Amino acid sequence: MTSQRFYNFLFCREKRNMKLSLAILGMAAATASAFTINPQSAFTRSNLVIKGRSNNVIQLEASKAKLKKQSRSAWAESRGIGILESEDGAGLKTNEHGLEFVKLVHPDTGASSEIYLYGGVVTSYVDGDGTEFIAVRPDAKTDGSKPISGGLSHCWPQFGPGEIQQHGFARNVNWEVKSMTDTSVELEMAPSDYTKEMWDKEFLCTFTVNLEDEQLSTKMLVENKGEDSFDFQAALHSYFTVSALENLEIKGSFEGKEFLNKLAGEDGKGEMQTETRSAITITEEYDRVYTGVNDPVLNDSGTGKALSVLNTAGWEDTVLWNPYGDEGMGYNNFVCVESVKFDSVTLDGGASWEGDMALKPSAL
């Protein structure tokens, strides 16, 4: 190859390389300009970045909630529970302190009820009109540190003071869900190391709550699973809402009945008295046991509603309690009208006892 031809060859090659380099540089510049943020659009792009991060957080929280629900579903399925949480809000839930409760919702009336596993206590019954009938005191603890002060609280196997702790242990142990639907739940309490330390009996308690069209029905079933008999007392220490005590009358078969006024007498044991009124009003502190009365009706002129406490089995007596004047307890907005089996029940081995109570609202 001559010198001239050799130089021409080099020149052409360099020219091609230069064109290729320029093309690559042009592509790089175009790509870089696509990612250049001009000042006018900087705020928008910044918002997009923040929005993207927010979506990631939302997705993360949703994932956590999904995992939690899956875990609770597995827990429920392992125990043969038919429903965890339905679209209408019914199901097994957790409060802000981590305590689990079951919410019942009636599909036709919209009525609802809430029942805590801790203590097996019904803490809410709202009828189809939106009226709440069950009270929880403002000083109540719903974190498991003590029994919930309010609701349909269990006193079992002891009512009041006695050989074991006040009102027994049923209200401060966890009950187990045996079955539930949108409108019913069945809870169970069996002996544990904790209960055996104070009361070593072979028992099984089942508490069933049914949210019906026009009422809330409850059933307490006590079974003796052993061979030896045992004695017990039982009560639903029921707290009911009141618009104000001045608006409340409690009617029933009280007139002419003897009752134990625990706040009367000089020896601290109370005094037997006779009720002369057909309608009871609360104008002082109350702690009275009416044996043989089990048909109370609460008439509240402030709400225009009446609540009939229908004790159809087991519950033979009624206790009226109110800490009149105690603002901390919220005395003016509740009254306890308790369904009680005051005299001890002796339950033989293999035998059972049942207490049926329903709450039926109506207009005055």
Side-chain angles (χ1 to χ4, degrees):
M1 179 181 297
T2 65
S3 298
Q4 184 62 40
R5 291 178 62 189
F6 177 73
Y7 288 130
N8 289 341
F9 170 77
L10 290 177
F11 176 78
C12 291
R13 187 176 68 177
E14 292 299 325
K15 188 175 182 180
R16 286 196 303 269
N17 289 342
M18 184 177 293
K19 288 181 178 180
L20 179 61
S21 298
L22 289 173
I24 293 172
L25 288 172
M27 291 174 63
T31 303
S33 66
F35 288 94
T36 301
I37 302 175
N38 63 58
Q40 294 180 348
S41 63
F43 184 77
T44 302
R45 290 176 184 272
S46 176
N47 284 346
L48 287 174
V49 171
I50 294 171
K51 183 178 179 182
R53 289 178 65 188
S54 298
N55 286 339
N56 289 339
V57 172
I58 292 170
Q59 290 173 0
L60 179 60
E61 293 299 325
S63 298
K64 288 181 178 178
K66 184 177 180 181
L67 289 173
K68 184 176 181 180
K69 186 173 182 179
Q70 289 174 345
S71 175
R72 290 169 63 199
S73 296
W75 177 92
E77 290 173 3
S78 70
R79 289 159 174 77
I81 300 170
I83 180 172
L84 180 63
E85 187 170 340
S86 65
E87 293 181 357
D88 60 4
L92 184 65
K93 300 176 181 292
T94 305
N95 75 359
E96 65 272 23
H97 302 297
L99 284 188
E100 290 183 313
F101 66 94
V102 174
K103 183 171 184 178
L104 308 179
V105 179
H106 197 285
D108 299 326
T109 66
S112 66
S113 180
E114 294 180 1
I115 306 96
Y116 273 79
L117 275 59
Y118 180 71
V121 55
V122 182
T123 57
S124 175
Y125 171 43
V126 179
D127 69 5
D129 296 331
T131 302
E132 175 67 82
F133 290 98
I134 295 180
V136 175
R137 283 179 6 205
D139 62 337
K141 300 293 185 183
T142 56
D143 57 4
S145 62
K146 59 181 295 187
I148 296 173
S149 299
L152 309 182
S153 181
H154 292 284
C155 300
W156 195 91
Q158 179 178 289
F159 180 55
E163 295 180 0
I164 61 175
Q165 65 188 26
Q166 174 87 357
H167 291 326
F169 50 73
R171 63 187 187 140
N172 61 299
V173 299
N174 283 310
W175 294 56
E176 184 177 350
V177 178
K178 299 303 294 181
S179 65
M180 67 178 178
T181 67
D182 277 359
T183 58
S184 68
V185 63
E186 183 182 49
L187 303 179
E188 185 176 275
M189 176 182 64
S192 65
D193 291 340
Y194 172 73
T195 66
K196 289 178 180 179
E197 285 182 2
M198 66 185 91
W199 204 70
D200 191 11
K201 311 294 181 184
E202 295 298 321
F203 68 88
L204 182 66
C205 290
T206 306
F207 186 58
T208 306
V209 182
N210 284 302
L211 183 61
E212 302 174 11
D213 288 350
E214 297 180 349
Q215 65 182 32
L216 183 76
S217 298
T218 70
K219 182 187 297 293
M220 175 69 163
L221 176 65
V222 180
E223 298 176 83
N224 186 342
K225 293 296 186 178
E227 297 180 356
D228 298 330
S229 65
F230 59 72
D231 297 337
F232 70 88
Q233 290 175 293
L236 289 175
H237 197 306
S238 306
Y239 286 71
F240 297 117
T241 58
V242 177
S243 60
L245 287 178
E246 64 182 7
N247 298 328
L248 175 69
E249 284 189 341
I250 305 172
K251 294 189 174 182
S253 56
F254 292 95
E255 189 173 10
K257 298 294 177 61
E258 285 193 336
F259 66 91
L260 173 63
N261 187 345
K262 291 187 176 182
L263 302 179
E266 298 179 356
D267 57 1
K269 295 182 179 180
E271 179 179 279
M272 294 301 299
Q273 299 176 352
T274 301
E275 184 59 71
T276 59
R277 298 168 295 174
S278 60
I280 295 174
T281 56
I282 307 294
T283 57
E284 60 182 327
E285 187 176 358
Y286 258 62
D287 192 356
R288 304 184 179 189
V289 181
Y290 291 82
T291 55
V293 177
N294 65 352
D295 58 350
V297 179
L298 288 73
N299 295 327
D300 190 337
S301 62
T303 62
K305 294 283 184 78
L307 182 68
S308 297
V309 182
L310 306 176
N311 296 303
T312 54
W315 308 117
E316 299 175 353
D317 314 305
T318 296
V319 171
L320 301 182
W321 183 80
N322 179 270
Y324 194 87
D326 193 322
E327 297 283 356
M329 290 187 183
Y331 80 97
N332 198 41
N333 294 115
F334 80 87
V335 64
C336 287
V337 182
E338 307 169 30
S339 300
V340 181
K341 183 64 177 76
F342 193 71
D343 292 334
S344 293
V345 176
T346 298
L347 203 60
D348 294 331
S352 63
W353 175 90
E354 186 176 295
D356 295 347
M357 187 275 281
L359 303 177
K360 187 176 180 63
S362 61
L364 285 178

